[in-house]
C-alpha cells in the first residue's frame, strides 16, 4: 500500500511538471507565431505555391538580447532591460537594410525573428517582451552565442556580426570556458562580436520574477554587477588587435 501511495504521488508530481512545461512551451510558441506573422505581413509573404524570399543574405547581423532576471536590476534608469530595449532600437536604425535577426535568452536561447531586412518586424515585437514569457532562469551566454552562429548559417551567409546586449553571464567557470571557446570559433569563421554592456560596476539589488528582492541564505539582499571584465575578455578573444571597449 505504501509503495502504491508513493507511486500515485510521483505520478501526480510528474503530471504537474509536464503541465507546467506544456504551458511554458505554449507561451513561447505563441510569441514565435506572432513574430512569424509580423515578419510575413511586413515582407508581403503569402501562402501560395510560389516561394518568396524575405531577403537576399549578404552578411547578416544577429541581435542577442539578454532577458535573465539580472536585467531587472535598477542600477540604471528605469532598469537594465528597458535600457537594453532602447539600445536595440538605436542599433536597428544603424542596421537599416542589413538582414537582421533577434534572439533572446535566459538559460536557453530563443530565435524570435529570423534574418530579415524588415526592421519593423523586430521593432513591433520589442514592446511585447517581458520576463513572464520565458520559462527558464539563468544566463547561458554560451548557448546564446551558439544560437547566433546557427542563425547566421541558416541565413545562407558564411559569416556575420553578432551584437550581444547583456550584463554578463552565470559565474560558472565551465560555462565561461564554453562561451570563450564559441567566441573563438566564431572569430575563426570570420564572424565579428560586438558587446553592449548594460549596467554599472556598482550594480544593484537583484529581483525575482515576482518583483520581490532576491535574498541569500542569510536573508540579505543579493546584488548583481555588470561583469565588465569578463565581457572585455570576450572582445579580446574575438579580435585580439581591436581596442577592447564595452559600448
Amino acid at each position: 500500500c505504501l509503495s502504491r501511495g508513493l507511486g500515485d504521488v510521483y505520478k501526480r508530481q510528474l503530471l504537474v511538471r509536464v503541465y507546467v512545461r506544456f504551458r511554458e512551451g505554449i507561451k513561447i510558441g505563441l510569441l514565435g507565431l506572432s513574430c512569424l506573422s509580423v515578419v510575413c505581413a511586413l515582407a508581403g509573404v503569402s501562402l501560395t505555391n510560389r516561394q518568396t524570399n524575405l531577403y537576399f543574405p549578404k552578411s547578416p547581423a544577429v541581435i542577442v538580447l539578454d532577458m535573465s532576471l539580472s536585467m531587472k536590476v535598477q542600477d540604471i534608469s528605469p532598469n537594465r532591460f528597458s535600457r537594453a530595449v532602447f539600445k536595440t532600437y538605436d542599433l536597428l536604425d544603424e542596421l537599416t537594410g542589413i538582414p537582421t535577426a533577434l534572439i533572446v535568452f535566459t538559460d536557453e536561447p530563443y530565435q524570435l525573428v529570423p534574418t530579415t531586412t524588415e526592421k519593423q518586424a523586430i521593432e513591433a515585437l520589442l514592446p511585447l517582451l517581458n520576463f513572464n514569457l520565458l520559462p527558464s532562469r539563468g544566463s547561458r551566454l554560451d548557448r546564446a552565442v551558439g544560437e547566433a552562429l546557427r542563425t547566421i548559417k541558416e541565413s545562407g551567409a558564411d559569416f556575420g556580426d553578432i551584437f550581444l546586449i547583456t550584463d554578463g553571464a552565470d559565474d560558472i567557470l565551465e560555462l565561461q570556458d564554453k562561451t570563450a571557446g564559441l567566441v573563438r570559433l566564431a572569430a575563426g569563421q570570420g564572424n565579428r562580436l560586438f558587446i553592449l554592456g548594460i549596467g554599472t560596476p556598482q550594480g544593484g539589488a537583484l529581483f525575482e520574477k515576482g518583483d520581490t528582492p532576491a535574498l541569500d541564505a542569510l536573508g540579505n539582499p543579493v546584488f548583481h554587477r555588470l561583469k565588465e571584465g569578463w565581457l572585455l575578455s570576450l572582445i579580446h578573444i574575438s579580435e585580439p588587435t581591436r581596442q577592447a571597449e564595452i559600448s
Side-chain angles (χ1 to χ4, degrees):
C1 293
L2 179 59
S3 61
R4 184 181 304 170
L6 290 176
D8 291 340
V9 170
Y10 173 76
K11 290 178 182 178
R12 287 196 297 269
Q13 291 176 340
L14 179 60
L15 286 173
V16 169
R17 288 197 295 269
V18 170
Y19 174 69
V20 170
R21 295 301 298 178
F22 178 71
R23 288 186 60 191
E24 292 171 346
I26 287 177
K27 287 192 292 186
I28 297 299
L30 289 176
L31 181 59
L33 184 60
S34 299
C35 299
L36 181 60
S37 299
V38 170
V39 173
C40 291
L42 290 172
V45 177
S46 60
L47 298 179
T48 65
N49 291 331
R50 180 182 178 184
Q51 293 184 346
T52 305
N53 289 328
L54 295 181
Y55 61 92
F56 296 95
K58 295 179 180 178
S59 293
V62 182
I63 299 174
V64 183
L65 180 59
D66 191 345
M67 288 191 66
S68 58
L69 290 180
S70 61
M71 295 293 284
K72 298 175 71 173
V73 172
Q74 300 174 359
D75 55 346
I76 53 178
S77 180
N79 58 45
R80 293 179 182 178
F81 183 67
S82 296
R83 185 67 64 88
V85 170
F86 296 153
K87 283 182 174 286
T88 302
Y89 281 116
D90 292 340
L91 184 56
L92 287 171
D93 288 338
E94 298 293 330
L95 296 174
T96 298
I98 297 175
T100 304
L102 176 66
I103 293 171
V104 298
F105 74 97
T106 54
D107 74 337
E108 293 289 347
Y110 300 91
Q111 185 198 86
L112 296 187
V113 181
T115 45
T116 175
T117 54
E118 301 292 340
K119 72 172 186 176
Q120 298 96 325
I122 299 177
E123 291 175 337
L125 174 65
L126 290 176
L128 305 179
L129 297 178
N130 66 77
F131 293 95
N132 293 323
L133 290 172
L134 301 184
S136 305
R137 301 171 63 108
S139 183
R140 290 293 299 269
L141 195 52
D142 57 315
R143 293 174 176 172
V145 173
E147 183 66 20
L149 292 177
R150 282 189 290 273
T151 299
I152 292 172
K153 184 177 181 180
E154 289 172 359
S155 76
D158 294 327
F159 51 83
D161 291 335
I162 300 173
F163 293 88
L164 178 60
I165 306 177
T166 182
D167 57 8
D170 289 337
D171 289 323
I172 302 176
L173 186 59
E174 179 183 358
L175 300 183
Q176 291 180 342
D177 288 343
K178 286 184 178 180
T179 302
L182 282 169
V183 169
R184 192 174 290 108
L185 173 65
Q189 296 173 346
N191 301 286
R192 296 188 300 174
L193 175 67
F194 301 89
I195 299 179
L196 288 74
I198 306 294
T200 66
Q202 295 75 29
L206 189 63
F207 291 89
E208 299 287 353
K209 274 196 173 182
D211 290 332
T212 57
L215 305 176
D216 61 19
L218 299 177
N220 299 314
V222 177
F223 277 74
H224 189 280
R225 296 172 176 79
L226 170 67
K227 297 180 176 65
E228 187 173 13
W230 162 238
L231 296 177
L232 287 171
S233 71
L234 292 181
I235 293 179
H236 181 72
I237 292 172
S238 177
E239 292 189 58
T241 59
R242 182 164 48 136
Q243 181 67 36
E245 180 181 359
I246 297 293
S247 301

